[in-house]
Amino acid sequence: MLTRQQSCVERPVALQHGSNAGRKLPYTASRAGKRALVVRASVTVPTIPIPGADEVLSCPDIRPRLVARPSPFVAHNNFGGGFVSDMDRVALTAMRFGSPKSAGAAQFFSAPELEGGNGDGQHINWMEASLEQLTTPLPPWAVRAGARETIFHDPRHTTAAIVTCGGLCPGLNDVVAGLVNKLTDYGVPEGNILGIRYGFKGFYDKEHKPQVLTKRSVDGIQLQGGTILGTSRGGANIKGGANIKEIVKRVDMWGVDMLFVVGGNGGNAGANAIQQMCEENDVLCNVIGVPKSIDNDILLIDKCFGFDTAVEEAQRALLAAKVEASSARCGIGLVKLMGRQSGFIAVQASMASGVVDAVLIPEVHFQLTGEKGLFKYLQGVLEAKGHCVVCVAEGAGQDLLENDSLHNGTDASGNPILADIGTFLKKELKGAFKEADIKYIDPSYIIRSIPTTSNDRIYCKILAHNAVHAAFAGYTGITVGLVNTHYVYLPIPVIIQAARKVDPRGKMWNRLRASIGQPNFY
């Protein structure tokens, strides 16, 4: 049986809070940073030393159990572009704040007896407030993604499996096609790439057997929305969710050498659970995640694939609301967009469209009435130009609907079930503005079921290729993403600590408010 020390040559750092408490993240420490990085989960959380300047957020691997060999791309120097080194690094934070008063800055953690303190024995590290959801301090660097000159699987004898999990998102088919094409480029034979049907449960569903994927079978699928594999909800840690033991059993039985999981926080949590059980049962399989989220709520990653496409489609609803509102006497256009815990779609679509007067997101509290309330502000807008447009994310204002009968419980992926803020606002607006002509637009699933835009299509392909490179490089339990405009590999436990959210103190929200002149509604 493999132990974590055998499969990960790096020293571990234990997560301390949330659902991942006790799980360990690997760090590679520099010679200059010989500090105690192992922190044990307990009621009293000790001060965490600041990572050294050369430390890297290392990725677990199973290389010691595999055989190294030259990449098949060595013959042409990877199509003339060369190879990535394991020593290449990408900065995890792009900015060094000089003051706690700088826009978007927050105190993340402190440590005693370190140089550069504030005079009382405490060292203060200022970083982006949007990263406050992280439960451990990050080292400065991440491992760069890309093709390695040395690989750890013989492509001629490699079996791969691909599974898509959770809700739909533009680009799922693009990623599937990208994975199949790059696996084939490496030399994985036809018949050795399996597509798992309808999410994790497809591993052991007697009605839906895995389908063989080839270059021919995925040709052109990027031109259609959805996923040819099908998908379903049901996380690894949710009652009635995926049976991880059965999945690992099938992985072992079918001889799957690498598993690619395309999913959001739940899907990546499932991938992490599969990787851990593979270790515990001595099953050699590289488990690689490709992060997917229509809400763009994956920690650290610049953006998730499909997000730009969703924003582009969401704009259509906002522009329609503008036309409806401006064509009526005292017209109000109300648009509800997706955004369960994070308001990125609402913020970006509103900023891009230039037609929205008020934006409501889950991260920012608001009140409807009173001198600082939403309705008082909208009254001024109506008096000034005769109409207005309001954009609301589906997870906004849930505190106003606490008595709603639907406002409780969680769905199959563990997400909170939301009350309908859209219909609630429409009713309240009608009561507050008796003469108003209110048009309510809810594009709902339309924005996630369409084919990708060109930028997203390219992004999906690069993510898929880098996922395949990671598997052949021997990495496991990692996900691939864009961080500070560079592609990196990240240990899955880092990105599933919490949902990424819009920072109310950050530049994105500030730019939007400054652009449309929106005050605080509280």
Side-chain angles (χ1 to χ4, degrees):
M1 180 179 295
L2 288 177
T3 64
R4 188 167 296 276
Q5 286 74 21
Q6 289 172 320
S7 62
C8 306
V9 295
E10 304 84 3
R11 290 186 288 150
V13 174
L15 290 175
Q16 306 206 29
H17 307 293
S19 61
N20 293 300
R23 294 185 181 175
K24 297 181 179 179
L25 306 182
Y27 279 78
T28 297
S30 65
R31 291 185 178 180
K34 298 297 184 180
R35 305 179 184 90
L37 289 177
V38 177
V39 183
R40 309 209 180 270
S42 60
V43 176
T44 302
V45 180
T47 301
I48 306 174
I50 298 173
D54 296 326
E55 289 170 9
V56 60
L57 187 59
S58 300
C59 297
D61 65 70
I62 54 175
R63 290 176 177 179
R65 301 291 305 277
L66 303 173
V67 178
R69 67 194 76 236
S71 167
F73 304 143
V74 168
H76 44 67
N77 194 29
N78 192 26
F79 301 94
F83 295 91
V84 169
S85 167
D86 282 345
M87 299 305 294
D88 288 352
R89 302 291 182 254
V90 173
L92 282 171
T93 54
M95 185 178 300
R96 180 178 178 180
F97 293 99
S99 165
K101 296 181 180 179
S102 297
Q107 178 182 344
F108 187 54
F109 62 92
S110 61
E113 300 176 0
L114 292 176
E115 295 181 2
N118 61 1
D120 62 359
Q122 295 288 316
H123 180 101
I124 305 300
N125 182 41
W126 300 99
M127 66 187 305
E128 292 180 73
S130 60
L131 298 181
E132 285 183 315
Q133 299 161 86
L134 293 170
T135 57
T136 58
L138 290 176
W141 305 101
V143 175
R144 184 185 178 195
R148 266 61 175 173
E149 192 170 6
T150 299
I151 63 174
F152 292 84
H153 288 280
D154 184 347
R156 299 170 300 173
H157 305 291
T158 294
T159 298
I162 303 169
V163 60
T164 53
C165 311
L168 290 183
C169 179
L172 284 170
N173 279 333
D174 300 72
V175 172
V176 171
L179 291 169
V180 172
N181 289 329
K182 184 52 65 176
L183 285 165
T184 305
D185 290 344
Y186 263 97
V188 177
E190 284 198 3
N192 283 24
I193 306 174
L194 303 177
I196 309 302
R197 304 301 309 280
Y198 301 109
F200 284 132
K201 293 183 180 180
F203 276 97
Y204 48 86
D205 188 338
K206 295 180 180 179
E207 294 184 15
H208 301 97
K209 303 297 184 183
Q211 68 181 79
V212 174
L213 298 174
T214 65
K215 271 199 168 186
R216 177 175 295 181
S217 69
V218 301
D219 184 30
I221 64 171
Q222 74 276 8
L223 303 178
Q224 62 191 59
T227 164
I228 62 167
L229 298 179
T231 186
S232 65
R233 294 189 180 276
N237 300 317
I238 306 301
K239 184 178 180 180
N243 188 326
I244 300 301
K245 184 176 180 179
E246 285 296 319
I247 293 173
V248 173
K249 181 179 177 181
R250 297 308 190 282
V251 167
D252 191 23
M253 184 189 311
W254 298 339
V256 175
D257 301 293
M258 47 187 70
L259 170 62
F260 300 95
V261 180
V262 189
N265 281 305
N268 274 272
N272 191 55
I274 292 170
Q275 185 264 330
Q276 289 181 330
M277 187 160 286
C278 282
E279 284 191 8
E280 293 169 2
N281 291 275
D282 201 16
V283 174
L284 289 179
C285 179
N286 300 93
V287 183
I288 310 296
V290 181
K292 164 200 70 72
S293 172
I294 192 73
D295 292 343
N296 200 38
D297 60 355
I298 304 292
L299 283 177
L300 291 183
I301 295 173
D302 290 357
K303 64 175 181 179
C304 296
F305 74 80
F307 175 69
D308 283 351
T309 301
V311 168
E312 190 70 26
E313 190 67 17
Q315 278 192 94
R316 298 176 185 273
L318 294 174
L319 295 175
K322 172 70 171 180
V323 171
E324 290 285 350
S326 61
S327 299
R329 178 179 178 275
C330 194
I332 299 178
L334 174 62
V335 179
K336 184 180 77 170
L337 297 176
M338 300 185 85
R340 186 179 296 275
Q341 299 178 78
S342 307
F344 288 102
I345 292 179
V347 171
Q348 293 287 72
S350 297
M351 185 73 173
S353 68
V355 301
V356 178
D357 299 293
V359 183
L360 309 174
I361 60 175
E363 296 88 340
V364 180
H365 171 73
F366 64 91
Q367 60 188 42
L368 300 180
T369 58
E371 284 300 309
K372 295 184 177 181
L374 172 66
F375 293 165
K376 181 72 173 180
Y377 171 72
L378 293 182
Q379 182 64 49
V381 175
L382 288 170
E383 291 173 358
K385 61 181 187 180
H387 69 277
C388 66
V389 176
V390 179
C391 177
V392 57
E394 62 179 329
Q398 292 299 301
D399 57 313
L400 303 176
L401 300 125
E402 289 182 347
N403 294 326
D404 192 293
S405 60
L406 296 178
H407 190 264
N408 57 72
T410 57
D411 63 17
S413 294
N415 301 312
I417 295 175
L418 303 175
D420 193 339
I421 186 64
T423 55
F424 170 80
L425 273 181
K426 178 183 177 182
K427 178 182 176 182
E428 296 298 312
L429 284 168
K430 193 63 180 176
F433 301 96
K434 306 290 187 183
E435 302 297 320
D437 185 354
I438 301 173
K439 293 297 188 293
Y440 174 50
I441 300 174
D442 179 4
S444 186
Y445 298 118
I446 292 176
I447 71 171
R448 75 176 199 178
S449 58
I450 58 175
T452 49
T453 58
S454 56
N455 283 340
D456 260 333
R457 189 160 291 161
I458 295 170
Y459 186 36
C460 290
K461 186 173 294 186
I462 298 174
L463 288 175
H465 289 184
N466 280 320
V468 175
H469 293 322
F472 273 103
Y475 292 119
T476 190
I478 63 101
T479 197
V480 59
L482 192 69
V483 175
N484 295 327
T485 72
H486 293 279
Y487 292 90
V488 301
Y489 297 140
L490 299 168
I492 290 177
V494 173
I495 67 160
I496 60 174
Q497 298 176 47
R500 178 187 177 209
K501 297 182 178 182
V502 175
D503 177 17
R505 297 162 291 177
K507 294 298 291 182
M508 179 187 295
W509 181 244
N510 176 258
R511 288 190 187 104
L512 175 66
R513 289 185 56 202
S515 174
I516 65 178
Q518 176 174 318
N520 287 320
F521 299 129
Y522 56 86

